[in-house]
Amino acid sequence: DTAVSQTPKYLVTQMGNDKSIKCEQNLGHDTMYWYKQDSKKFLKIMFSYNNKELIINETVPNRFSPKSPDKAHLNLHINSLELGDSAVYFCASSPAGGRQPYEQYFGPGTRLTVT
Amino acid sequence: AQTVTQSQPEMSVQEAETVTLSCTYDTSENNYYLFWYKQPPSRQMILVIRQEAYKQQNATENRFSVNFQKAAKSFSLKISDSQLGDTAMYFCAFRRVDDKIIFGKGTRLHILP
């Protein structure tokens, strides 16, 4: 069974469109994350949710809005897509509060290409 | 602010050799966790090894081991008997007590046949 899944894996869209990426984890973890990996492979956290509550909100444009309907899901909605949004977006999950295992489990990534 | 520095953007070694990837970090915290992740061309992020800062013993996972020097804030990864399948980007990461993980910029490792 897939632990952290993301859909879609590839997304090609035009500037100005609105798109969503879905993430689900079946590990029973409390905390979920969104990361952006740019063309230079730099991985930067965007958001984290703990049990549906927003915990980390890095300096991300307001066009990006995470939504967590329950603790197993964390979706990322992006409005008015721009060329600079092209990247690979990773979802991840982990137990919270210093509980083992301490590492994050990553989804397969969604490659977003804005044309 | 915490930072994670990987000073080697790219490395190449022959198959079966041993290679060490360096990582240093900066933090004022005393309890934290360190990780090495591997990202092969498939782009999947795979945990290689982890280290709890309160443990003095260096972590080991088969051919992978770390040299954790807490006072020096150094966390290097040693890969023994390297294999072609070890070719990947390797990221050093630091997990803060608020669960935020900070990644280094990565080291691209090529294992040559």
Side-chain angles (χ1 to χ4, degrees), chain B residues 37-85:
Chain B
Y37 281 89
K38 167 185 177 181
Q39 187 178 38
S42 66
R43 85 167 180 243
Q44 179 70 51
M45 292 288 287
I46 302 165
L47 178 72
V48 174
I49 200 165
R50 69 176 185 210
Q51 175 82 42
E52 292 92 330
Y54 60 86
K55 289 188 178 179
Q56 293 184 335
Q57 187 171 6
N58 289 325
T60 299
E61 289 287 341
N62 301 313
R63 298 182 295 108
F64 298 88
S65 61
V66 298
N67 183 1
F68 173 49
Q69 303 286 331
K70 190 173 182 180
K73 296 179 183 173
S74 170
F75 183 61
S76 60
L77 174 70
K78 185 171 87 170
I79 306 174
S80 303
D81 186 26
S82 56
Q83 300 175 358
L84 296 179

Side-chain angles (χ1 to χ4, degrees), chain A residues 13-58:
Chain A
T13 187
Q14 291 185 327
M15 283 175 56
N17 285 347
D18 302 338
K19 291 292 179 186
S20 292
I21 306 172
K22 295 186 176 181
C23 178
E24 176 181 4
Q25 54 96 3
N26 61 6
L27 298 165
H29 290 164
D30 301 302
T31 305
M32 297 183 71
Y33 309 79
W34 277 109
Y35 288 87
K36 179 180 180 180
Q37 187 175 42
D38 61 25
S39 58
K40 294 184 179 179
K41 301 293 186 183
F42 185 51
L43 202 62
K44 192 167 190 296
I45 191 167
M46 300 172 69
F47 303 101
S48 80
Y49 268 72
N50 183 299
N51 209 4
K52 302 197 299 176
E53 181 183 348
L54 180 65
I55 301 298
I56 295 172
N57 185 351
E58 292 295 292

Side-chain angles (χ1 to χ4, degrees), chain A residues 102-103, chain B residues 33-37 47 49-50 75 92-93 95:
Chain A
Y102 307 114
E103 64 269 19
Chain B
Y33 310 100
L34 295 161
F35 309 95
W36 278 97
Y37 281 89
L47 178 72
I49 200 165
R50 69 176 185 210
F75 183 61
C92 178
R95 179 174 180 168

Side-chain angles (χ1 to χ4, degrees), chain A:
Chain A
D1 275 347
T2 303
V4 182
S5 60
Q6 292 178 231
T7 53
K9 289 188 179 176
Y10 298 92
L11 183 55
V12 181
T13 187
Q14 291 185 327
M15 283 175 56
N17 285 347
D18 302 338
K19 291 292 179 186
S20 292
I21 306 172
K22 295 186 176 181
C23 178
E24 176 181 4
Q25 54 96 3
N26 61 6
L27 298 165
H29 290 164
D30 301 302
T31 305
M32 297 183 71
Y33 309 79
W34 277 109
Y35 288 87
K36 179 180 180 180
Q37 187 175 42
D38 61 25
S39 58
K40 294 184 179 179
K41 301 293 186 183
F42 185 51
L43 202 62
K44 192 167 190 296
I45 191 167
M46 300 172 69
F47 303 101
S48 80
Y49 268 72
N50 183 299
N51 209 4
K52 302 197 299 176
E53 181 183 348
L54 180 65
I55 301 298
I56 295 172
N57 185 351
E58 292 295 292
T59 307
V60 176
N62 291 336
R63 300 181 294 103
F64 290 79
S65 54
K67 290 204 170 33
S68 182
D70 55 62
K71 76 172 193 176
H73 296 83
L74 181 62
N75 303 324
L76 183 65
H77 188 76
I78 315 170
N79 290 327
S80 303
L81 279 155
E82 300 177 356
L83 292 177
D85 297 332
S86 295
V88 179
Y89 292 85
F90 284 97
C91 177
S93 74
S94 73
R99 290 184 286 121
Q100 291 190 19
Y102 307 114
E103 64 269 19
Q104 295 185 347
Y105 292 76
F106 284 80
T110 295
R111 181 178 293 282
L112 171 65
T113 303
V114 182
T115 60

